[in-house]
Amino acid sequence: MHILIPGRHDRQTMEYRVSQAPATSTDSTPRQFGDARRSWPVRRGLLLESGPQRKLALAGFVNQLGTAAFLATVPLYAHQVIHLSIGQVGLGLSAAGVVGLIAGIPVGHLADRRGPRDIFVITLLIQTLSMLSLLFAHSFLAFTLAVAVTDLAGSSGGAARGPLIRRFGGDEVPKFRSYLRSVAMLAGTFGAMAAGAVVQIDSDFAYRALILGNALTFIGSAAVLVKLPKLDALASPREEGRWTALKDKPYMAFVVLDGIMWIHNEVLSFALPLWVVLHTDAPRWFVGPAIAVNTVMVVFLQIRTSRGVKGGTVAGRATRRAGLAFMIGMAVIATASGVPGCAAVAIMTAGVAIHTVGSLWHAAGSLELRFRLAPAHAQGQYSGVFGMGMGLCYTVAPSLLGLLCVTWGTPGWLVMGGVFVAAGLAMPYVIQWAGRSREIADTAD
């Protein structure tokens, strides 16, 4: 049995889908993932059917393409073009990250009440302006304000995007969200390649061109989104308070545990490179292939892994398995210290693969619970809470992983793995708690 059946589409979305069907078509096959009568890219899950889901995925790809390139180069831009010190760069980016956390919940609530599409588009236009302003920043204050507004609008856009995913995803939200994650990873890879080229050129013009390009991706993403049908706000219970998400204790517990689990992303992007360089005899170039293994596995396996992960019980089991996989993968990576270079490469490749299997299970369970545990009429507000939890954990992750995995060494990897196991084991109990605290319907898994 699992908890919380997803709500039906709102009437406007259903009418849109019906109106898009050709009047003379004799094909009664449903327009969904895996339709054997569609084109090869659609059948293989490489491309979605034409419609709102494809537009939302395309907008996300364009957005992530520029964002990934920008994030990889903004410290160098601030240091070498604006001529800020390393300390100023770190302080400015940290301050902007903290500011960005505060906007998700109120803007998500606004998206629930005013409609998510238009709010999302507005956040993208704000990011366009803030990114362009960065080209004219010549001081620490100007730099900090520009990146703070960008982060503020970015977290707001994430909160507004949640309701779009939930309502256009319909009964296939887990599969749709998994597809979006694969698309984001692919876009991030291309963005990183663009950033690498800019860093190699290492000129003021190249850095400024990348920032201008990122601003254009916000405009491009917004241009795609305005073609989506407008979604009206869903009615909410009259007796419900304004900030229902913050008062939802089971959901807040889920956000805390899930945020801890999401630290696994920083294990490969932050802890592993330092581990390779400081504690192993593996060549430094191994960091690139290690990240590539993770990216390829996510792009090609995330949708397959998410199949069947529907409902609270199954999602809880997936999260529990993820914690165990993280523990095993990190234990394997830890054993690479003190062994010859070639052996270290082989050991850590296996560890990265196991860790990535855990990330596939966790993403499938997390993204299912994120939407299942939130009421349909408040998806934006709940998405804001979810994003704030992830943001806080990502803020803590570098210091935590630096202490455990880099400073403590092998024992620290095992301790961090144990934290993942504990969070994964606790998740099913939080799901049961959620089932007792709200009106839900059970169905067989």
Side-chain angles (χ1 to χ4, degrees), residues 111 140 154 167 172 311 339:
F140 169 73
R167 294 170 70 177
E172 294 184 332
V339 302

Side-chain angles (χ1 to χ4, degrees), residues 2-7 166 173 240 244-245 248-255 257-258 311-313 315-316 319 365-379 382-383 386 427-440:
H2 70 72
I3 67 172
L4 205 56
I5 304 301
R166 175 65 183 84
V173 168
E240 187 174 80
T244 179
D248 190 338
K249 294 180 181 179
Y251 194 85
M252 295 299 293
F254 156 70
V255 167
L257 291 178
D258 195 62
T313 300
T319 305
S366 170
L367 299 173
E368 168 73 354
L369 293 170
R370 171 185 176 180
F371 294 105
R372 293 272 180 161
L373 298 182
H377 67 273
Q379 287 287 327
Y382 275 73
S383 292
F386 182 85
M427 188 65 77
Y429 296 99
V430 170
I431 296 170
Q432 293 176 13
W433 181 21
R436 294 193 299 268
S437 64
R438 66 198 73 200
E439 292 184 6
I440 58 175

